[in-house]
Structure formats: C-alpha cells, structure tokens
Amino acid sequence: MESNYYTLKRTDNQLILITHLSQLLTYVTGFGGLIVPLIIWVTQKEHVSGMDEHGKSILNFQLSLIVYSLISIPLIFALGLGILLLILVAILAFVMPIVNAIKASNGELPSYPLSINFVS
C-alpha cells in the first residue's frame, strides 16, 4: 500500500516570504536575487504548499528584469531612454519583492507587473 506521506505539503508562509525577500540580495551581492530564490524553489516546491506558484513568479520576474536591463543598454545611446528604463527596473526590483512578501505572509498569490512568462 502506498503512503500519502510524500504527497502532503506543509504550509510555510514564512519560507515563501523569505523567498520573495531573497530577491533583494541583488542589491547586496549583485547576483543573489536570482540564485537564492531559484535554489529555495527547486528544493522546496514539492514540500511547501504554494511554493511552486510563488517560485515561478519570482523566477519569471527576475528573468524579465534581466531582459529589460539588457534592452536598456543600447537605449542609453538613444536619447538616454535606457537610463529611464534602468531606473524603472531598479525601482520595480526593490519594491515588488517587498509587496509580494507581504502578500505571501497573508497567504495571497504574488503579482509581478511587466513579468514575462518564461517558466510556466
């Protein structure tokens, strides 16, 4: 007889909250904002209820920020539009993880604006 022990997922809003806030490591290390949430998501998506949805949203957002940053580089030479895009990316990269961490602590699903769906 097969056990249901492995199919049960625990509720851990604190870990999901930490996963969202770990994106802010980019401001400290320059690269941790993608790597740490990726590691948490990959290791915990089967064990924590809601982690799969939150992790995918975080990864899609982080990858989108990278794409927008890369697009902004050549736009810097076009009337400085790239600088405005970089400022917008920096603001979103700082504010949205905090907003979604608060949502996660309340058990709500995340919403990241301008996020391209890379991981579904």
Side-chain angles (χ1 to χ4, degrees):
M1 182 172 198
E2 201 171 296
S3 172
N4 287 337
Y5 175 75
Y6 295 104
T7 60
L8 296 176
K9 291 185 177 185
R10 71 181 192 278
T11 302
D12 193 347
N13 288 346
Q14 274 30 353
L15 182 61
I16 294 173
L17 178 138
I18 290 168
T19 307
H20 283 284
L21 291 179
S22 68
Q23 296 175 80
L24 299 176
L25 285 172
T26 298
Y27 290 100
V28 178
T29 63
F31 59 86
L34 175 64
I35 296 170
V36 173
L38 176 65
I39 292 170
I40 295 172
W41 173 63
V42 167
T43 60
Q44 297 299 314
K45 67 181 177 180
E46 301 295 327
H47 306 291
V48 176
S49 178
M51 179 61 80
D52 195 38
E53 293 84 9
H54 285 269
K56 287 176 182 176
S57 294
I58 292 168
L59 290 179
N60 286 330
F61 181 64
Q62 286 296 313
L63 293 172
S64 297
L65 291 177
I66 291 169
V67 168
Y68 294 137
S69 296
L70 291 174
I71 290 171
S72 70
I73 293 170
L75 289 178
I76 290 173
F77 301 107
L79 303 173
L81 295 176
I83 294 172
L84 294 176
L85 183 58
L86 280 175
I87 292 170
L88 176 65
V89 166
I91 291 170
L92 284 175
F94 186 78
V95 172
M96 293 314 298
I98 296 170
V99 168
N100 284 300
I102 294 168
K103 284 184 172 186
S105 70
N106 295 328
E108 300 174 33
L109 290 175
S111 61
Y112 286 100
L114 305 173
S115 188
I116 303 167
N117 196 19
F118 294 102
V119 181
S120 57

